[in-house]
Amino acid sequence: MKILHGILLLFLACVNGIAQERYIKIDNFRSDYVKSRNVEIWLPPGYYENPGKKYPVLYMHDGQNVFNKKVSGFGVAWEVDSTAEKLITENKIKPAIIVASWNTNEYRYMEYFPEKASEYFTREDKEAMQGLVKLMKVEYNWLADEYLKFMVKELKPYIDKNYHTLSNRENTSVCGSSMGGLISLYAISEYPEVFGQVACISTHWPLLFDNNNMSPSESVRKYIEENLPSPKTHRIYFDYGTATLDQYYEVHQQKIDRIMKAKGYTKGKNWVTRKFEGAQHNEQSWQNRVDVILEFLYKK
């Protein structure tokens, strides 16, 4: 009898031949714009039990660090899935689908730097950035516009076609840390009709990795000042720590906060900037505050 019961459960979990997995990994998701990469998808509890229900979607960068520490580049993952599951079960946040696209190590800096901000570089800025890129041993060729085309024209349509999504702007969010914070803010600025919410974690404002030369960072601020989307239709989260690389961030974030105010954003309403005293620039620190991030995006 137990064997028959087990077979029945297996059958119900494989309706139409499709296993009802809540974690899906797509190897080498093909793109016409950027290098192919792995994509991971997490479906919230109750997804299969409520086939008529649709869900908001959170897109995250550096996908190998989002769910599973076994594939994380640093042996620690954000564990966004387990935190989201806990918060959903406790009825603290709305259920959401989470999509994590992996980075491609050799192109990460080039794909995540806000490409149009380079148009504001002075000659000295360009030379400094070229020197940095040379040290990274990659070609001086910004790729963020192509990366966003991958997200908006390829990845999002695939997710909307194959999963039960709320595909409008209000229900489409994007999140990343460090350079991933920059590309997230760039995404909502370049495609304000697609992304309605953004979470920028330990955003890497000091492009040269310290504050000895802050001039290139000014180009990013000029871009943001001219392209930040409307506070009437968008919500933005920033945070930063105070240790390791994050020790350089506060002075930059304060300047961004002034831009936010000038653009009409209201703290506590459609914008938050959080300071985490003692927090370092690493996956463990970001894992520690995933609940804060998810509650900003999806709090009931």
Side-chain angles (χ1 to χ4, degrees):
M1 188 67 181
K2 288 184 178 180
I3 293 175
L4 289 175
H5 180 67
I7 292 173
L8 178 61
L9 289 176
L10 181 62
F11 172 77
L12 292 174
C14 299
V15 177
N16 296 324
I18 301 174
Q20 295 185 326
E21 296 289 341
R22 287 182 44 220
Y23 169 82
I24 301 99
K25 183 170 180 282
I26 303 172
D27 292 319
N28 295 313
F29 189 104
R30 186 183 177 280
S31 172
D32 290 331
Y33 300 106
V34 293
K35 186 177 178 180
S36 299
R37 67 203 59 218
N38 297 339
V39 172
E40 299 177 68
I41 303 157
W42 180 81
L43 304 175
Y47 179 85
Y48 291 107
E49 290 79 5
N50 301 284
K53 185 174 181 178
K54 295 185 176 182
Y55 299 86
V57 183
L58 171 60
Y59 291 89
M60 299 189 67
H61 312 292
D62 294 314
Q64 61 266 49
N65 301 329
V66 172
F67 300 124
N68 186 356
K69 67 180 181 181
K70 292 181 179 179
V71 297
S72 171
F74 306 96
V76 177
W78 292 35
E79 299 183 9
V80 179
D81 50 343
S82 58
T83 300
E85 180 117 15
K86 180 176 182 292
L87 293 174
I88 291 168
T89 302
E90 294 174 350
N91 205 33
K92 291 183 177 179
I93 65 170
K94 295 178 289 186
I97 295 170
I98 302 172
V99 179
S101 60
W102 290 32
N103 70 46
T104 54
N105 289 330
E106 65 271 36
Y107 297 115
R108 180 178 182 271
Y109 194 93
M110 311 313 293
E111 287 185 342
Y112 288 1
F113 174 80
E115 186 169 340
K116 289 184 174 62
S118 66
E119 297 171 6
Y120 298 90
F121 282 163
T122 64
R123 181 175 59 83
E124 292 78 10
D125 292 341
K126 188 173 181 179
E127 290 175 355
M129 294 299 287
Q130 286 175 333
L132 176 66
V133 169
K134 186 177 181 180
L135 288 174
M136 295 178 178
K137 297 181 180 180
V138 297
E139 184 181 354
Y140 186 77
N141 180 27
W142 305 118
L143 300 171
D145 288 347
E146 299 303 301
Y147 176 72
L148 291 186
K149 287 177 183 177
F150 153 70
M151 288 191 66
V152 171
K153 298 180 183 294
E154 295 175 330
L155 182 57
K156 186 177 186 299
Y158 175 87
I159 297 298
D160 289 337
K161 179 181 178 180
N162 291 282
Y163 299 94
H164 309 315
T165 69
L166 293 167
S167 61
N168 60 353
R169 173 180 63 198
E170 291 75 14
N171 288 287
T172 306
S173 305
V174 59
C175 170
S177 63
S178 194
M179 290 296 295
L182 285 179
I183 190 63
S184 296
L185 192 61
Y186 191 54
I188 202 173
S189 299
E190 287 293 292
Y191 292 93
E193 75 284 3
V194 175
F195 301 104
Q197 299 189 118
V198 62
C200 305
I201 318 306
S202 292
T203 313
H204 188 58
W205 307 117
L207 300 175
L208 300 177
F209 293 90
D210 59 35
N211 288 338
N212 293 329
N213 180 0
M214 296 171 64
S215 182
S217 301
E218 186 61 30
S219 298
V220 176
R221 285 191 286 274
K222 287 178 181 176
Y223 167 82
I224 293 170
E225 196 166 15
E226 293 189 10
N227 295 278
L228 201 66
S230 171
K232 295 180 180 179
T233 50
H234 293 79
R235 301 175 70 244
I236 300 178
Y237 171 98
F238 295 109
D239 74 21
Y240 60 95
T242 60
T244 62
L245 189 57
D246 274 34
Q247 69 182 292
Y248 302 112
Y249 288 2
E250 185 168 14
V251 62
H252 296 273
Q253 188 62 57
Q254 289 172 346
K255 294 180 179 183
I256 295 297
D257 288 355
R258 287 194 285 271
I259 293 174
M260 295 290 290
K261 290 178 183 177
K263 288 293 182 178
Y265 281 84
T266 303
K267 266 193 174 182
K269 180 182 177 183
N270 50 19
W271 156 46
V272 167
T273 294
R274 295 285 303 269
K275 176 180 178 179
F276 290 90
E277 198 68 47
Q280 301 181 21
H281 190 89
N282 57 33
E283 268 63 33
Q284 185 61 63
S285 292
W286 302 326
Q287 179 198 114
N288 291 344
R289 55 190 193 254
V290 164
D291 57 339
V292 176
I293 298 160
L294 291 176
E295 287 189 21
F296 172 84
L297 295 173
Y298 299 116
K299 187 171 184 178
K300 284 197 168 184

